[in-house]
Structure formats: C-alpha cells, structure tokens
Amino acid sequence: MKKLLPLLLLLFVSFHLFSQIDGEVIKPYKGDFLLQHARIFTVSNGVLEDTDLLIQNGKIAAIGKNLPKENHLLIDCTGKRIYPGFIDSGTSLGLVEVNSLPETQDYMELGKVTPQMQALTAVNPNAVAIPVTRVSGVTTVLTQPRGGYFPGTAALIQLNGYTPDQMDAGFRGVLMNFPSAAKAGNYDNRSAETIKKEAKKALDEIDALWEKATSYQAIQDKGGSVAYYPEMAQLAKVVTGEIPLLVEVNAAGDILRAIEWVKDKAVDPVFTGVAEGWKVAEKLAASEIPVITGPVLSLPSRQSDSYDASYTNASKLQQAGVKVAIRSQDSENVRNLPFHAGFAAAYGMGTEEALKAITLHPAEIFQVDDKLGSLEVGKSATLFLADGDPFEPKTQIEQVFIDGYKIPMTNRHIRLYQEFLDREMKPEN
C-alpha cells in the first residue's frame, strides 16, 4: 500500500490538472459544428479546396461549399486544413502509465498462452498520456498486450470516454508472437543451432495448441460438452476466422516461415512488426497479407543493414504492392506517430501514401473503414484541424473532434508549460 500512495497522488494531481483551468471544468462536448472554408484532405476522394464540413450527431453530415449556417456552431477554417484522425496500429497506450514504474503497467499476464485476456478491460481512460496523444491528431489506437506465444486480445480504442466500453472502436485481434530463428540482438550469444532448435520447439508447441483449439471447436460444433477452458475458447474463434490473428514477426527468414505457416493453417492474418519486410517484400505482396510496421523512427535490426533500413521499410513494402499501416509501438510517446509517417514519406513512401498508412489503411485492416480512416458523409466525425502539414513538427493542431465531441486542447504537458513559462513570484507584502 505504501508503494501505491505516491502513484495515487500522482494520478489525482494529473486528473486535477487535466480537468480544471482556472477553476473551470473543461470537458469534451458534443454539438452541431460547421467548419467553414477549409482545405479538406479526404484521403479517399482527394483534396477539396475552400469547402465546408458539417458535424451532426457525432457524424459527418455534409461536405460541400457554402453549406447552410443555421443552428450550427461556426468555426472559421480559412487557411486551415482538415484531416481524418490518425490511427496508430500498435501501442500500449492506456495499459502503461509510466514505463519506469511497474506499478503502472498492465500489459502482460503470467504464462505463454493467455489469448482470452482482453486489453480493453485493462485500459485506463484517465491515463495522462491519452490527452497528450489526441491533441497531436492521433485519435484512435490499437492497444495491445505483450509476452508469450498468445499474450492476449488487442483492442482498437477511440481516445475519448469515461470507461473502456465507451472508448471501444469495434475491433479485436488475438496476438501471436511467431517464434524467431534469428538472433535476438547483438548480445545474443546462442549458437545458430541452438536458436534453430529453440524456434522449432516453440513452433511445435504452437502447432499443438492450434490442434487443441481445432479439436475444441469440433467438439463444440457437434454439440459436445467441454470443460471451462477460456484459452481454447478464444483460440477456437481464431481458428474459425471469427477473430483476426495478428502475427508479430520481424526477421526476413521468420517472415517467410510465417507466410507458409498461416497458409497451412488456412487463416487470413495481419503481420505486425515486419522490420525486415523490405528483404522479402515481393513474397509478402504475393501472399496478400496486410502489414502493420514500425516503429519507423528506430535503428536497423542488424548492424550490417543501411542506416535508413527502418526509414525505408514501409515505402519498399508499399511499392511492392503490400497494404501497409504504420505504428509507433509506444506507450508514452504515441503522439509522435505523425513523425513516424513523416519519415516514411520522406524516405520513399510519399506524403499521400504515408497519410493512408495512418488513416484509411489501418481502418481497412481493422474492418472499421465504414466509420474511420477518411472524411466522407456518414462516417464518424473523428478529425482534426491544423494550420499546415501534420507531418511537420512546426505545424499546430488547433482542434480535434472524436465521434463528434469537441476535444479540449489541453493536457498535463501544456498545463505544466503554462505554469512554468512565467516563474516570477509576486513580492511579499
């Protein structure tokens, strides 16, 4: 309990700072907003100049020129840009408060096989990093557990809500860590033969789990009775295709083995990580498996690789014909997602494709493109207003909307900046 007291105090102070400005409570609020005279980056239908966008009942009600102004809150967007909210396709946001404090982490369970563990139930809606993230234009994230063969079920969340259920964006995916036959890093002293044996043993164990899940489902299909077995109940949903499988795999050789493995199991997966995807891009494209890659802002996985291997990976995959989404793979600095995409754009991907990699492509991969990922009539009013290119650090995000809620443009970082900007004390009486 003594260890928790500083943490509870920190959370209380953080909440107090977030929820009040000069004694006034600041909260997201919903309404009918007419954003006028903006440059609208629809993603799906090009760029619309000097165009209005109407938000009603949490959705985009109309897009066009000179829309009627009656009964709407008017926002002048002259000289500004509107983008769909950015989607980070791999984070621990909401599951980790402070990376250096184990007491604030809830992303890993004991054991190698825990696919039934739901990341959504562990999300902290009051996490200090959430408002820090969303005022940067990142409105939606896939938050995921870690560790083991099947560490749990990831969830796509909107960064607004008082409870995890209110934040639910409608996607779940079971995570699988594909056994690696490559060295884990420069300090991995295992022999090549040992690494190969350990990888084979791990894959054999996963195959046995898959067979068990298949048998579990077969018994269910025939009306048989099975004992309480939540691990197999969840894996069985992956076997039948009810829940997507997200396969974390990075080394080039492992990627090729993973392609054959999922083909043998007859599942339609999403590959995540894929750090050396550029080495086998053509085969990935031929497999038609979508990829979530990142972080882009990272070092090469091998010392022998070029310095820009991580920067160019996404572009080489995209140019080969792979559907690519970009992730930050972070918890405290998910706000940097636009800069991961910006580097991918600068290193061959181009601005248009990099924008799709953090908007429309992840929405399609997560099967929520009917609601998110682009600016179209009928979709969720999840978007932001900026004074320039959001991939540029100098650009200011001026307003964010999530499901039609106008989000307060404040967070603990801004609050502390304002507090210490002018530290002159008043003279004592």
Side-chain angles (χ1 to χ4, degrees), residues 146-423:
R146 306 179 210 162
Y149 295 154
F150 294 97
T153 300
L156 191 70
I157 60 173
Q158 295 281 68
L159 300 186
N160 182 42
Y162 290 106
T163 68
D165 286 341
Q166 290 176 347
M167 301 171 73
D168 185 5
F171 172 83
R172 302 284 190 284
V174 170
L175 299 174
M176 172 185 164
N177 288 309
F178 194 83
S180 179
K183 281 187 175 291
N186 295 330
Y187 299 101
D188 189 345
N189 295 320
R190 294 175 299 167
S191 67
E193 183 179 354
T194 298
I195 293 172
K196 186 176 180 179
K197 284 182 178 179
E198 290 179 356
K200 184 181 184 306
K201 179 183 177 182
L203 193 57
D204 287 344
E205 291 176 358
I206 289 174
D207 284 338
L209 290 167
W210 196 269
E211 287 299 319
K212 188 178 290 187
T214 302
S215 299
Y216 181 96
Q217 185 61 41
I219 294 171
Q220 293 277 72
D221 291 342
K222 293 180 180 180
S225 176
V226 294
Y228 179 69
Y229 204 162
E231 297 94 325
M232 289 304 112
Q234 188 74 344
L235 272 184
K237 294 178 182 179
V238 178
V239 170
T240 61
E242 182 180 342
I243 296 180
L245 181 66
L246 308 177
V247 181
E248 178 74 14
V249 58
N250 285 287
D254 296 336
I255 293 169
L256 296 179
R257 282 186 287 275
I259 291 173
E260 293 303 314
W261 188 86
V262 298
K263 183 179 178 181
D264 179 65
K265 301 302 185 237
V267 292
D268 295 322
V270 176
F271 280 2
T272 64
V274 198
E276 294 184 355
W278 58 277
K279 296 181 179 180
V280 291
E282 298 298 332
K283 293 186 178 180
L284 268 170
S287 73
E288 298 183 345
I289 297 172
V291 163
I292 297 169
T293 191
V296 176
L297 297 173
S298 63
L299 295 173
S301 57
R302 300 175 192 266
Q303 288 185 325
S304 57
D305 290 339
S306 172
Y307 79 94
D308 61 356
S310 298
Y311 306 157
T312 60
N313 185 40
S315 66
K316 289 177 179 177
L317 288 167
Q318 177 264 323
Q319 290 163 12
V322 179
K323 177 174 285 188
V324 178
I326 290 174
R327 69 181 186 182
S328 68
Q329 193 66 350
D330 210 326
S331 54
E332 294 178 332
N333 290 298
V334 181
R335 60 181 175 175
N336 288 335
L337 177 69
F339 309 136
H340 289 268
F343 262 70
Y347 281 82
M349 200 172 198
T351 302
E352 184 176 345
E353 289 300 323
L355 180 60
K356 287 182 181 178
I358 56 173
T359 53
L360 188 56
H361 285 176
E364 291 172 344
I365 290 171
F366 300 140
Q367 301 171 22
V368 293
D369 52 305
D370 60 329
K371 298 180 291 186
L372 301 171
S374 62
L375 299 177
E376 300 177 52
V377 173
K379 286 194 173 185
S380 168
T382 299
L383 51 91
F384 65 87
L385 175 67
D387 65 1
D389 183 346
F391 293 169
E392 295 287 345
K394 68 178 181 179
T395 295
Q396 297 297 307
I397 308 299
E398 299 189 355
Q399 186 57 61
V400 174
F401 293 86
I402 298 178
D403 289 329
Y405 282 88
K406 190 172 185 287
I407 301 299
M409 298 302 291
T410 185
N411 58 50
R412 188 166 188 265
H413 292 188
I414 293 172
R415 200 69 17 79
L416 291 173
Y417 170 77
Q418 293 169 338
E419 170 69 22
F420 292 100
L421 183 63
D422 182 4
R423 291 180 285 181

Side-chain angles (χ1 to χ4, degrees), residues 32 34 47 50 60 122 124 202 216 226 240 361:
D32 293 348
L34 181 61
V47 181
D50 191 19
I60 300 173
N124 174 17
Y216 181 96
V226 294
T240 61
H361 285 176

Side-chain angles (χ1 to χ4, degrees), residues 90-102 104-115 117-119 122 142-155 173-177 246 248 272 327-334:
T91 76
S92 298
L93 187 63
L95 305 181
V96 175
E97 192 72 21
V98 182
N99 273 327
S100 58
L101 286 177
T104 71
Q105 300 170 4
D106 194 7
Y107 60 79
M108 186 183 296
E109 297 295 330
L110 295 175
K112 294 181 179 180
V113 186
T114 56
M117 304 307 296
Q118 301 288 330
L142 184 75
T143 190
Q144 56 193 26
R146 306 179 210 162
Y149 295 154
F150 294 97
T153 300
V174 170
L175 299 174
M176 172 185 164
N177 288 309
L246 308 177
E248 178 74 14
T272 64
R327 69 181 186 182
S328 68
Q329 193 66 350
D330 210 326
S331 54
E332 294 178 332
N333 290 298
V334 181

